Amino acid sequence: SILTMIALYSINLRIMDGPNIALLGVDTLLSPLDKLSIATYEIPYYVAYPICFGIISLITFTLLFMFLRSEIGLAMRATGSNPRMAQANGVNTWLMVILGMSLSNALVALAGALFAQSQGSADVTMGVGIIIIGLASVIGGEALIGPKNLFRWILACLIGSLLYRLVIAVALNGELLGLKAQDLNLITAILVTLAIVAPNIKSAIKARTRFGQ
């Protein structure tokens, strides 16, 4: 992933023909939401945008859940869990790996396109550090949801990403904490550490509870 991001930095510069692109005055997917209204009530953009992103997230969640429950999805999950066993059962593990990477990169492209349109600009450095953010979101979601089946696995990733951004926003806007925008990397490092340690703490609490009983 790190090598791919390094290579894509140069490719993005060629595609964008510069380090950044402004989308001000350009029609985007979110442009119709700027003047959205129900009856005589005009819905502000800061309400319409989250609703739109929520609907897209639910659609993506449903399609991904249905795909991973299909025959190809089961083969892909088996490849990730035990490639030798999957290959012994006639699964083309090489093809499943390529398909999995294609699907994950398609989701990344969708998220990046929506983010650029919501921000009104695209910058070549927007993806820097996204691996750490993804790590914190997935591990944090797993620690909170405790995934035991496919539905909860996908839900953990979705909830983890939302909670991560919420915690970041609260931390940076919290007057009591006295944090500023330049403290973002510090907050991210702390959240990743907590996400990694949380499952161990949770397991230790459960073990003590069982021992006490």
Side-chain angles (χ1 to χ4, degrees), residues 7-176:
L8 286 177
Y9 189 90
S10 298
I11 296 175
N12 288 336
L13 282 174
R14 285 184 173 271
I15 294 175
M16 296 170 60
D17 196 24
N20 50 65
I21 296 178
L23 299 178
L24 298 177
V26 178
D27 291 333
T28 65
L29 178 66
L30 303 175
S31 296
L33 300 179
D34 293 333
K35 299 180 180 179
L36 185 63
S37 60
I38 298 178
T40 58
Y41 177 73
E42 184 175 347
I43 301 177
Y45 73 93
Y46 53 82
V47 174
Y49 284 13
I51 293 176
C52 177
F53 291 147
I55 293 174
I56 294 175
S57 298
L58 289 177
I59 294 174
T60 305
F61 179 95
T62 304
L63 293 177
L64 183 60
F65 179 72
M66 294 174 61
F67 171 75
L68 291 178
R69 293 187 64 187
S70 65
E71 185 176 350
I72 298 178
L74 288 173
M76 184 185 300
R77 291 161 57 190
T79 300
S81 299
N82 193 331
R84 290 186 178 181
M85 182 61 69
Q87 193 171 11
N89 284 276
V91 176
N92 188 339
T93 55
W94 180 84
L95 180 61
M96 291 299 104
V97 170
I98 298 299
L99 181 60
M101 294 183 65
S102 301
L103 178 61
S104 63
N105 280 283
L107 293 175
V108 171
L110 173 63
L114 293 175
F115 181 76
Q117 293 180 69
S118 66
Q119 295 295 310
S121 64
D123 192 274
V124 73
T125 60
M126 290 172 62
V128 176
I130 195 65
I131 295 178
I132 303 299
I133 295 174
L135 175 66
S137 301
V138 171
I139 297 178
E142 290 179 2
L144 293 174
I145 302 298
K148 297 179 180 180
N149 51 47
L150 177 60
F151 179 84
R152 296 183 68 171
W153 273 109
I154 303 176
L155 183 63
C157 297
L158 180 61
I159 297 299
S161 61
L162 293 176
L163 288 179
Y164 174 84
R165 299 310 308 181
L166 180 62
V167 171
I168 289 292
V170 171
L172 294 180
N173 294 325
E175 298 180 356
L176 296 177

